[in-house]
Amino acid sequence: MLNKCIILVLFFMSMNFSVFAATTCDEDGLWLQVLGSGGPELDDGRASSSYVIWSEGRARFVIDIGSGSMFQFEQSGASINDIEAIMLSHMHVDHSNDLPALIKASFFSNRSHDLPIFGPSGNNFMPSLKHYVDGLFGNEHGAYRYLSSYLDGSDTYRLLPHNVDVTKQKEETVLVNSQYKLIAIPVHHGVIPALAWRVEFADKAIVFSGDMSNRYNTLVRLAKQADILVAHNAVPEGVKGVARSLHMPPSVIGQIAEQAHVKQLVISHRMKRTLGQEKTTLTHIRKKYEGPVMFADDLQCFRL
Ligand SMILES: [Zn+2]
């Protein structure tokens, strides 16, 4: 990716506005790159949920790590050595499945500093992040216990799992230093423990909704004045039943974006039930939110 020319693509949307996105991220500045813009389907032509935040040509944060995303990580030119932290929204396959691929690949890297990974606490339906990591790499029962050296400190770096308590609907700052701040807030995704994430870097903020129904009404707080809100649009307007109890329709996305005064909205987690309906989706978002709206594709870059 480095040293490639940036190709800026001007996207004209149907509502008399335009925004810019690039097919590669530049070496300068802060960028959001979409690794996976899809959901769990295997016939949508997209990797499952995953994003990278680039700063000055280095991929610093991975948010979600769904199926197929590590192939896109390779395509993006990101280096395992540069990752500061991984944040998972929840433990569904399409958000967590490629973690073993990253850890195994790190054997072939020069990584020598610890790698924190954050995710939700568990319940009867889902393991906590720590339980999930132990189930993968724990030296007694882990499915990939041959990689347990990345947990016990006997390798070149340690994977450091941390749970975020989802029982309190409060913001939690999980990592902060002079450069950046990582903040989570629980969101409602049916019975599944789930988090939205906010990454503050320099004077910019990027917020990731994850999968959520908005029953807790917490995202609007986390997304306040964000430069980019990445909102997961898994269902069309008017959907009912289980799908609505798990996901937010376009009108709710528009309402949150408006109330939070976000500067740009990126629609992701695109599934076959919403693909091809972008015009209708945009119409419902537009009833509430007037700012720039982009529909994400894999490997797309957004400058902050
Ligand atoms: Zn999902």
Side-chain angles (χ1 to χ4, degrees), residues 124-199:
N124 291 337
F125 298 95
M126 278 286 160
S128 69
L129 184 279
K130 288 174 89 167
H131 192 181
Y132 175 66
V133 168
D134 190 57
L136 292 174
F137 309 121
N139 61 10
E140 281 193 30
H141 305 293
Y144 304 112
R145 49 190 174 272
Y146 79 107
L147 300 173
S148 62
S149 58
Y150 294 106
L151 286 185
D152 64 20
S154 64
D155 219 306
T156 55
Y157 76 93
R158 288 176 302 164
L159 183 65
L160 300 176
H162 299 273
N163 290 344
V164 177
D165 185 358
V166 297
T167 62
K168 303 181 184 104
Q169 290 167 27
K170 288 184 176 170
E171 288 182 13
E172 182 174 329
T173 298
V174 300
L175 201 57
V176 62
N177 62 28
S178 59
Q179 271 197 312
Y180 59 82
K181 193 173 179 182
L182 311 179
I183 310 163
I185 201 164
V187 290
H188 181 268
H189 186 40
V191 297
I192 306 302
L195 300 168
W197 283 98
R198 180 181 178 109
V199 178

Side-chain angles (χ1 to χ4, degrees), residues 40-226:
E41 294 157 320
L42 290 180
D43 53 357
D44 60 0
R46 294 162 189 272
S48 299
S49 182
S50 187
Y51 309 93
V52 165
I53 295 174
W54 293 82
S55 169
E56 308 302 331
R58 294 197 295 138
R60 305 289 291 271
F61 306 99
V62 175
I63 298 91
D64 275 353
I65 191 161
S67 321
S69 62
M70 287 303 98
F71 176 71
Q72 303 293 44
F73 185 90
E74 179 180 329
Q75 295 297 299
S76 77
S79 167
I80 293 169
N81 299 337
D82 294 335
I83 302 300
E84 305 263 352
I86 302 171
M87 295 93 88
L88 301 190
S89 64
H90 63 294
M91 311 314 297
H92 272 153
V93 168
D94 58 316
H95 298 256
S96 63
N97 182 257
D98 267 9
L99 181 60
L102 179 72
I103 301 306
K104 177 58 204 174
S106 71
F107 174 82
F108 303 97
S109 76
N110 296 318
R111 189 172 183 98
S112 58
H113 55 291
D114 291 345
L115 177 57
I117 178 169
F118 303 93
S121 56
N123 63 13
N124 291 337
F125 298 95
M126 278 286 160
S128 69
L129 184 279
K130 288 174 89 167
H131 192 181
Y132 175 66
V133 168
D134 190 57
L136 292 174
F137 309 121
N139 61 10
E140 281 193 30
H141 305 293
Y144 304 112
R145 49 190 174 272
Y146 79 107
L147 300 173
S148 62
S149 58
Y150 294 106
L151 286 185
D152 64 20
S154 64
D155 219 306
T156 55
Y157 76 93
R158 288 176 302 164
L159 183 65
L160 300 176
H162 299 273
N163 290 344
V164 177
D165 185 358
V166 297
T167 62
K168 303 181 184 104
Q169 290 167 27
K170 288 184 176 170
E171 288 182 13
E172 182 174 329
T173 298
V174 300
L175 201 57
V176 62
N177 62 28
S178 59
Q179 271 197 312
Y180 59 82
K181 193 173 179 182
L182 311 179
I183 310 163
I185 201 164
V187 290
H188 181 268
H189 186 40
V191 297
I192 306 302
L195 300 168
W197 283 98
R198 180 181 178 109
V199 178
E200 295 180 356
F201 199 107
D203 59 347
K204 303 290 185 182
I206 314 167
V207 173
F208 301 86
S209 74
D211 294 1
M212 52 165 272
S213 72
N214 203 40
R215 188 184 293 182
Y216 294 160
N217 200 26
T218 45
L219 180 62
V220 67
R221 271 187 274 153
L222 193 74
K224 275 275 184 284
Q225 306 287 345

